[in-house]
Amino acid sequence: PSAADRVRSGHIRNPIVREDVERVIGDPRIQRAFRFISEHEPDIQASQIRLTSVPAPPFGESERAGVFADELHRGGFRSVTDAIGNVIAPYEAFGCNPVVIAAHLDTVFPESTPLDLRRKDKTLLLPGISDNGCGIAALLWSMRAAKDAGLRFRRPVIAIGNVGEEGEGNLRGMRHLFNAPPWEGRECEFIAIDGGGLQRITHRALGSRRFRVRMAGPGGHSWADFGMPNPVHAIASAIHLFAGHGAGRRPGVSFNVGVVRGGISVNAIPSEASMEVDLRSTSLSNLDALDNQLKRALNEAVGVAGVECKVEIMGERPSGGTSADSTIVQAAMAITKRFGVEPQLDVGSTDANIPMSMGISAIAIGGGGTSGGVHTPEEWFDPTHRDLGLHRLIALIAILAGLA
């Protein structure tokens, strides 16, 4: 197989990492931490439900952040909250060149979303229960297990419940963290815990740009003013032009018109219409090409329809990547394989985008279990084998930070 195929299939090329994995997993303290996790699944699940049941839309995470801080305190950790709302807890002290583990506190769901837990056998159904209730719980309980087992690390370890990962949050928590890190310098190794699962190891950052497009005209009566510029028609024409001219034919790109609004009545020509557009690509050049193609489609639609157009950028996520040969990726792959699961290297848009774009070694992984319906009201999480996800996280921290 090619080198790329070996990477995708989880080929471990670093023998030192393999030896580290066996040494760490065989350590009696690590085994005590593993047992602590396996024995506390009911408590882990209770924390996950408690946190997920607190609304936390982007820019509205403060209540959930408070509950997260309380959970940290209950586990014996002191936390601080920074100027933007990130909850930060050092395992012992901040120091320099730490291993940083973060889980985002926010969800895609508006504050008004009903958060009523349902159960189907072992499965939990609740908006946000996986993304990122699972990640927050994994972070909390891996730290608690490490402390209970008496683990000491050679490098600082820092846990962060961060704000602003989803949607219009635009990674604001991570941007602030790396603009003004609470540890010495900026260097670190970074792990984002995002959602459930065990196979995925995201080591490449999917760049994105999000736009809100507003079109305006004079409006009028559907009969008496027929022929006047119609912003809804112009929006529809722009979508057709953009989607129909090969926007998604390049490899490693995607686009989505996720929201369209406009009009007040079936018999009134609207005076305004808007849409929200998401562009994504693994390469900056392809993202630029998508951006330019959208602008051309808008200009053509506006010219024909005779409406005014305003484009506002809602958010931009940088691209980047961590080498598959790096210690953090090789270690994550080796540990995953050690637990009998074939690792899958992945591309994604997560909090790890920010450190990756800065050349900092970073990955995103799941917190164990299985999940589905993410970003829908029917989101679900099955905690079966959740313990393996937390075991992996604890072992990965121990390898990166070093056991004292």
Side-chain angles (χ1 to χ4, degrees):
S2 69
D5 288 336
R6 288 199 302 272
V7 169
R8 283 193 291 269
S9 65
H11 182 73
I12 314 302
R13 293 193 287 273
N14 189 330
I16 297 175
V17 166
R18 284 198 298 266
E19 293 169 8
D20 285 346
V21 168
E22 293 305 319
R23 178 178 52 79
V24 163
I25 290 181
D27 190 290
R29 295 166 295 172
I30 292 289
Q31 289 297 317
R32 284 200 297 273
F34 287 179
R35 286 193 296 273
F36 180 90
I37 292 296
S38 298
E39 292 166 359
H40 283 80
E41 170 56 33
D43 302 308
I44 298 171
Q45 190 174 125
S47 289
Q48 181 183 5
I49 293 168
R50 186 159 51 246
L51 284 155
T52 308
S53 298
V54 180
F59 302 97
E61 303 99 335
S62 59
E63 185 179 356
R64 183 177 290 186
V67 177
F68 178 74
D70 289 344
E71 293 271 354
L72 282 168
H73 182 73
R74 195 174 292 123
F77 297 96
R78 294 182 179 181
S79 66
V80 296
T81 302
D82 68 15
I84 206 167
N86 297 319
V87 179
I88 304 169
Y91 186 78
E92 290 181 324
F94 284 106
C96 62
N97 193 22
V99 176
V100 179
I101 312 99
H104 69 87
L105 297 166
D106 59 324
T107 75
V108 297
F109 302 99
E111 190 170 1
S112 58
T113 303
L115 297 176
D116 301 316
L117 175 69
R118 292 178 291 135
R119 297 178 185 265
K120 186 176 181 181
D121 298 324
K122 291 184 178 180
T123 301
L124 309 174
L125 292 95
L126 183 65
I129 192 67
S130 172
D131 186 10
N132 196 27
C134 173
I136 303 168
L139 175 56
L140 280 168
W141 284 88
S142 61
M143 294 284 282
R144 290 186 68 166
K147 182 175 281 288
D148 183 83
L151 295 184
R152 301 287 302 278
F153 300 109
R154 298 181 184 276
R155 290 170 60 189
V157 173
I158 301 173
I160 300 175
N162 62 278
V163 300
E165 194 274 343
E166 298 285 8
E168 294 184 49
N170 197 31
L171 304 183
R172 66 191 182 97
M174 281 299 112
R175 293 179 198 274
H176 181 83
L177 183 75
F178 281 95
N179 280 335
W183 58 89
E184 297 174 29
R186 187 173 284 174
E187 289 303 310
C188 69
E189 287 180 293
F190 179 89
I191 304 166
I193 311 299
D194 201 333
L198 193 62
Q199 288 182 299
R200 167 180 53 88
I201 300 168
T202 301
H203 76 119
R204 294 174 61 200
L206 181 63
S208 68
R209 292 176 194 164
R210 292 166 179 172
F211 299 97
R212 181 178 291 113
V213 179
R214 301 182 191 274
M215 295 193 181
H221 192 278
S222 62
W223 172 258
D225 298 307
F226 179 69
M228 295 292 285
N230 188 316
V232 168
H233 293 181
I235 287 281
S237 177
I239 294 170
H240 173 72
L241 289 167
F242 177 62
H245 287 180
R249 292 176 189 167
R250 298 179 185 86
V253 304
S254 74
F255 66 90
N256 182 58
V257 180
V259 177
V260 177
R261 297 188 179 96
I264 58 171
S265 172
V266 69
N267 64 338
I269 299 171
S271 60
E272 184 176 284
S274 67
M275 65 175 175
E276 295 177 5
V277 187
D278 176 81
L279 310 179
R280 300 187 182 217
S281 179
T282 54
S283 88
L284 180 59
S285 61
N286 278 343
L287 193 57
D288 286 339
L290 269 182
D291 190 332
N292 291 333
Q293 190 162 338
L294 176 64
K295 300 301 194 318
R296 287 195 299 270
L298 291 172
N299 288 335
E300 186 175 343
V302 167
V304 171
V307 297
E308 296 178 358
C309 180
K310 180 181 179 181
V311 180
E312 169 193 355
I313 189 161
M314 298 170 60
E316 183 169 8
R317 297 188 176 203
S319 56
T322 300
S323 169
D325 291 329
S326 65
T327 299
I328 193 170
V329 174
Q330 288 279 297
M333 290 166 61
I335 297 165
T336 304
K337 209 173 182 69
R338 177 64 172 74
F339 286 130
V341 176
E342 194 63 32
Q344 294 180 354
L345 295 187
D346 192 22
V347 179
S349 182
T350 69
D351 279 317
N353 280 42
I354 297 298
M356 282 185 198
S357 72
M358 301 168 66
I360 294 170
S361 290
I363 58 172
I365 58 177
T370 54
S371 61
V374 174
H375 288 196
T376 77
E378 296 301 310
E379 186 168 343
W380 58 267
F381 177 78
D382 183 339
T384 304
H385 301 312
R386 182 220 296 275
D387 57 345
L388 295 182
L390 275 67
H391 294 175
R392 175 177 71 170
L393 179 57
I394 293 166
L396 181 55
I397 294 168
I399 287 173
L400 297 177
L403 284 174

